[in-house]
Amino acid sequence: MSNSLRSQTISPFILLIEDDKSVIASVKNNLAASGVLRNHLSACQSIKEATSFLEAHPEFAIILLDASLPDGMGLEGLKKLKAAFSDKIIIVLADNAHQYLGIDFIRTGAQDFILKEILDSKDIYPTIQFAVERVQLIQQEVVEKVSKIKQTNQQLYQDIFNQSKDAIYICNLEGRLVDFNQATFELFAFSEEELLEIEIHNLFHTKEKKREFLYALVANKSVTEFPMEIEQKNGKIRKCLISASMIRTAEFTGYSGLLRDITEQKKADGLRKARDIARQSAKMKEQFIANISHEMRTPMNAILGMSNLAMQTDLSKEQYSYVSSIKQSSEVLLGVVNDILVISEIQNSQLKFDYKFFDLNELLHNLMNLVQFKATEKGLKLSLQLKDGIPKIVQGDKLRLNQILYNLVLNGIKFTEKGGVNILVENQNESNDFVQLKFTIADTGIGIPSDKIDAIFETFTLIREQGMEQEGKGLGLPIAKNLVEQQGGKIGVKSELGSGSEFYFDLLFEIGEEVFPEPIQAKAAATLDKGAIRVLLVEDHKMNQLVAIKTLEKHWSDIEITVANDGQECVDILAKKDFDIILMDIQMPNMNGYEATGYIRHKMSPKKAEIPILAMTAHAHVAKNEKFREYGMDDCILKPFEPKELFRKITEYTFKYKVLT
Ligand code: ADP
């Protein structure tokens, strides 16, 4: 036994667990006789009692355990204690009856065991002393470990202090600094020396805020993330959050503070908010435009349809011209609605192109037919000039090309009073597969002033010189420009005031082979003539019901049309009666067109489930992105509808259904 241990002043406390009073007395006497530990001995009479005692007194590191306690006979008591207090040093006091368990006590975790019968101070002393030594060794290790951790922590704190992007400082209640890190003088934009000369609280804004902060700090001893504006040396303001803790010692009253600069974060938050609002409003605008367009197309379908029907009746010349004016004006209106839709798509970067093979010749001649009467009306000559090497079939976005040409030709007619408009198509470049076509639309009109020429492709540009009182909305050219450029082409204009303008653009097309489609129309028409077509018209708008019925009856005298006012009526009627085709509006009360189609396709008998369904909708986007197909509709007709297109599609689909299946 070393002297140093003997001389330790702090000895671990010992708990004796023993129910035999004579043994308790004997142990006490023996320990007293050994001259140490006298003051640190306590006794409990059962494992249960000892458990609560140890929980309340963790400083008792050594246990003397009787092996014949009623609640801890033999190994049981030792096992219970080890399970609850694994770090205690346990010495078993065994009577003769448990002497044979000696080796098992050690295996179960006891440091040693002593036979009660031969218990005396000579015997108990070394065992206890060894236990004390072990406890002290363990304690020493734990001290060493704590000091190492403290050292590491201190280094860590120092690193955090030095490298922190937040300003960390200690100052007195006036704001005079005692210690601060680099981020502090960076935040205030003063030099280290300058900062020591001033009271930083003078740079806290506003005065009221500063007072509020100091008041809260003194009252609550700490403050977290208090918003504070800091004025830099150059007068610039940084938005910060300040967290602080009071320091009060005999020599010093002040606080340690942490200032986090959130200026950039605030800016980013602001931008994000602005962006979200912009996105939201763009979305709302888009939705609004789509809805308005639908709401305008629905009555326009009635106006145009009724005008068409009226013009086929017996009218006087005067009446005919009135109705024809109504029709033309509504076509202009329809053009405006279409242009606004395209502009909205352009602004939302949603322009999509649909490249398919088409007959360029046919497109150009249809266009000529469409605008011819407008030219004739003004006494203008309209001509089309196709140079050599223009392929008949090309691949491109037919509708968009038509739109560009239409806008430019219509402008030509609009801004020309004498002479005419010529459309020239040239082949600029040709390979085996591709052709670059240049379209030039030249007029002999009023021309464009040279200082305005750069602006005319901008949205809503109208040139209003004296004597130019033409109607306009400033959408046609920006649309054309976007449609050309987003397909990789170039658009431009040459013009001379008073003698005319020349708009030109080029686009690349893939060259296609001419396919001769089966003359399905003729064959279908012949077959269909033999029996009446039975149409189920699903439409909630009364006027548009009338337009469709009258338009179809004019074309097919023996057509049978049944009207359903919504999707629900449609499926009810179809369940009872056979039809050859369904014309289905989409937006309807009770059951809409998509739902009705879904019901027919999935819930009805096989023959009925296959009936051709043509969507008839005033929703331009439904028609364009072919959304209707996802819902099982075969095709789509956009309202206001072109009667010829409606007849053609009814013929085609009815023929396929009636004859081919
Ligand atoms: P809109 O024709 O609806 O006014 P555009 O964007 O098509 O809108 O044209 C913008 C303006 O450019 C017109 O208002 C007109 O002043 C001028 N402009 C366009 N085409 C011609 C042309 N062929 N001749 C003279 N001026 C034209």
Side-chain angles (χ1 to χ4, degrees):
M1 202 51 44
S2 76
N3 284 332
S4 68
L5 273 175
R6 220 178 252 263
S7 62
Q8 288 276 358
T9 49
I10 303 164
S11 301
F13 298 166
I14 299 170
L15 176 65
L16 171 64
I17 313 174
E18 174 61 81
D19 55 350
D20 184 336
K21 292 218 168 69
S22 66
V23 178
I24 297 174
S26 160
V27 170
K28 275 188 175 169
N29 287 338
N30 280 311
L31 286 177
S34 72
V36 286
L37 309 166
R38 187 178 22 203
N39 300 328
H40 304 113
L41 186 77
S42 289
C44 290
Q45 302 206 357
S46 66
I47 298 288
K48 196 170 168 231
E49 190 192 337
T51 304
S52 353
F53 180 88
L54 287 169
E55 274 164 6
H57 303 90
E59 66 275 20
F60 282 74
I62 300 168
I63 298 169
L64 290 172
L65 172 66
D66 172 20
S68 39
L69 292 167
D71 64 345
M73 200 56 79
L75 288 171
E76 281 318 299
L78 178 61
K79 280 184 184 163
K80 280 184 191 168
L81 283 177
K82 269 283 157 194
F85 307 98
S86 62
D87 55 341
K88 306 282 182 204
I89 291 172
I90 304 176
I91 298 158
V92 177
L93 299 176
D95 45 27
N96 280 339
H98 292 105
Q99 190 181 350
Y100 69 97
L101 282 174
I103 189 73
D104 293 319
F105 287 131
I106 304 298
R107 278 202 190 118
T108 311
Q111 175 197 280
D112 203 350
F113 76 100
I114 301 171
L115 283 177
K116 282 184 191 173
E117 276 70 12
I118 53 166
L119 189 71
D120 65 23
S121 64
K122 269 197 251 73
D123 205 22
I124 201 166
Y125 179 75
T127 306
I128 296 284
Q129 199 57 25
F130 179 51
V132 170
E133 199 176 326
R134 274 183 67 188
V135 171
Q136 284 174 341
L137 262 174
I138 292 168
Q139 278 177 353
Q140 200 175 337
E141 267 172 32
V142 173
V143 172
E144 278 171 11
K145 262 189 203 155
V146 168
S147 91
K148 226 180 222 157
I149 289 170
K150 271 192 181 159
Q151 252 177 5
T152 320
N153 277 353
Q154 211 149 13
Q155 188 55 46
L156 199 68
Y157 290 140
Q158 197 61 40
D159 289 349
I160 292 173
F161 182 76
N162 290 336
Q163 291 161 18
S164 168
K165 290 196 167 56
D166 297 327
I168 305 175
Y169 62 90
I170 296 174
C171 70
N172 68 14
L173 287 180
E174 279 70 52
R176 197 161 290 274
L177 289 165
V178 177
D179 194 8
F180 55 90
N181 66 353
Q182 173 149 351
T184 308
F185 61 86
E186 283 174 1
L187 173 65
F188 287 95
F190 279 91
S191 75
E192 218 170 328
E193 294 73 29
E194 287 171 331
L195 211 51
L196 283 168
E197 295 297 312
I198 59 170
E199 288 173 355
I200 57 165
H201 289 172
N202 292 334
L203 301 168
F204 284 17
H205 286 294
T206 56
K207 278 207 175 82
E208 288 69 34
K209 274 263 167 203
K210 179 181 78 177
R211 214 172 297 137
E212 199 185 321
F213 158 70
L214 288 172
Y215 181 82
L217 176 62
V218 173
N220 307 326
K221 310 240 175 352
S222 74
V223 167
T224 2
E225 306 209 323
F226 188 95
M228 182 74 77
E229 291 190 345
I230 300 295
E231 184 184 335
Q232 295 184 312
K233 188 182 177 185
N234 54 20
K236 282 192 184 146
I237 294 290
R238 308 295 297 178
K239 289 184 174 29
C240 295
L241 292 177
I242 178 166
S243 300
S245 298
M246 269 306 277
I247 303 173
R248 220 189 267 275
T249 65
E251 312 82 44
F252 179 74
T253 303
Y255 71 95
S256 63
L258 183 147
L259 273 168
R260 170 160 298 174
D261 188 342
I262 53 163
T263 315
E264 300 308 319
Q265 187 189 327
K266 280 259 171 202
K267 254 188 227 163
D269 286 351
L271 286 177
R272 207 168 298 130
K273 229 181 239 163
R275 184 201 62 192
D276 289 348
I277 291 170
R279 276 190 187 160
Q280 178 87 7
S281 63
K283 216 180 194 169
M284 278 167 63
K285 194 173 82 181
E286 192 189 325
Q287 190 63 44
F288 174 77
I289 288 173
N291 288 344
I292 283 286
S293 147
H294 178 266
E295 295 312 304
M296 287 178 81
R297 278 168 185 283
T298 304
M300 253 146 61
N301 185 57
I303 299 172
L304 277 166
M306 292 294 185
S307 313
N308 275 332
L309 290 169
M311 282 159 76
Q312 289 171 40
T313 59
D314 242 345
L315 296 179
S316 71
K317 223 173 168 191
E318 192 184 359
Q319 285 168 330
Y320 187 90
S321 86
Y322 294 157
V323 179
S324 158
S325 299
I326 294 176
K327 193 186 160 188
Q328 273 182 45
S329 300
S330 17
E331 275 169 354
V332 170
L333 198 58
L334 186 59
V336 178
V337 174
N338 287 341
D339 282 354
I340 289 174
L341 268 185
V342 180
I343 284 288
S344 154
E345 278 176 46
I346 291 170
Q347 287 180 343
N348 294 317
S349 317
Q350 280 182 339
L351 265 191
K352 287 193 197 85
F353 296 94
D354 181 20
Y355 296 110
K356 285 199 185 108
F357 285 106
F358 67 91
D359 187 331
L360 178 63
N361 243 323
E362 189 185 296
L363 179 140
L364 290 166
H365 284 104
N366 283 346
L367 177 77
M368 292 293 283
N369 284 340
L370 196 66
V371 290
Q372 182 65 60
F373 80 95
K374 290 187 201 277
T376 314
E377 231 175 33
K378 288 182 81 173
L380 300 174
K381 186 170 175 277
L382 187 66
S383 50
L384 172 67
Q385 207 183 341
L386 288 177
K387 282 282 172 78
D388 285 346
I390 310 294
K392 186 170 156 59
I393 307 293
V394 292
Q395 193 189 43
D397 191 320
K398 175 180 164 183
L399 286 180
R400 304 295 198 189
L401 176 64
N402 196 52
Q403 199 168 5
I404 302 164
L405 286 166
Y406 183 78
N407 284 355
L408 297 180
V409 174
L410 224 57
N411 273 351
I413 296 172
K414 200 155 71 176
F415 297 105
T416 303
E417 296 309 321
K418 249 207 312 234
V421 179
N422 181 53
I423 306 165
L424 170 68
V425 188
E426 293 166 285
N427 178 348
Q428 288 207 305
N429 224 325
E430 191 182 353
S431 71
N432 281 341
D433 300 328
F434 289 93
V435 62
Q436 185 163 24
L437 297 181
K438 182 180 181 189
F439 299 83
T440 308
I441 295 91
D443 65 58
T444 55
I446 56 175
I448 301 160
S450 57
D451 60 328
K452 303 276 164 53
I453 209 152
D454 289 337
I456 56 165
F457 287 106
E458 306 288 325
T459 317
F460 307 122
T461 301
L462 307 175
I463 299 163
R464 290 289 171 264
E465 301 278 303
Q466 263 203 324
M468 292 189 187
E469 261 86 47
Q470 277 80 9
E471 62 194 71
K473 53 204 184 297
L475 291 177
L477 290 179
I479 287 175
K481 181 180 156 78
N482 271 285
L483 293 180
V484 170
E485 287 180 353
Q486 292 199 30
Q487 295 186 82
K490 277 197 282 301
I491 188 166
V493 58
K494 284 185 225 148
S495 182
E496 206 172 307
L497 203 57
S499 46
S501 311
E502 228 181 78
F503 284 86
Y504 53 86
F505 64 94
D506 60 22
L507 281 175
L508 196 68
F509 295 91
E510 197 176 321
I511 301 171
E513 296 266 317
E514 188 167 4
V515 247
F516 295 97
E518 247 195 281
I520 188 169
Q521 287 294 327
K523 211 158 131 196
T527 317
L528 290 177
D529 267 354
K530 293 185 190 121
I533 306 173
R534 294 161 301 172
V535 174
L536 178 54
L537 173 70
V538 193
E539 166 72 79
D540 63 323
H541 192 276
K542 293 282 177 227
M543 206 88 85
N544 283 335
Q545 287 177 2
L546 195 62
V547 170
I549 293 169
K550 292 296 171 198
T551 307
L552 290 172
E553 282 178 352
K554 275 247 169 337
H555 191 68
W556 285 293
S557 53
D558 55 352
I559 196 165
E560 282 174 24
I561 305 172
T562 307
V563 174
N565 290 296
D566 59 44
Q568 187 59 53
E569 269 190 45
C570 162
V571 296
D572 291 346
I573 294 172
L574 183 62
K576 290 190 210 116
K577 226 183 125 194
D578 290 336
F579 291 92
D580 302 317
I581 193 161
I582 298 177
L583 303 180
M584 181 85 84
D585 187 16
I586 289 182
Q587 192 173 312
M588 289 180 294
N590 301 325
M591 189 191 258
N592 69 33
Y594 293 140
E595 292 163 345
T597 304
Y599 186 91
I600 294 166
R601 294 288 185 240
H602 302 296
K603 300 240 164 84
M604 296 195 105
S605 65
K607 179 75 185 163
K608 293 207 168 165
E610 279 173 28
I611 187 166
I613 301 177
L614 298 189
M616 271 183 93
T617 177
H619 275 300
H621 69 278
V622 171
K624 197 161 62 227
N625 61 22
E626 308 225 322
K627 201 173 158 194
F628 59 88
R629 287 197 206 282
E630 288 168 28
Y631 291 88
M633 293 166 159
D634 296 278
D635 213 326
C636 179
I637 287 157
L638 182 63
K639 284 187 276 195
F641 65 84
E642 234 341 288
K644 275 188 194 148
E645 192 197 359
L646 179 65
F647 303 148
R648 186 174 61 74
K649 287 193 172 165
I650 290 180
T651 309
E652 185 182 323
Y653 285 100
T654 313
F655 173 69
K656 280 189 198 156
Y657 181 60
K658 268 177 108 160
V659 182
L660 300 183
T661 61

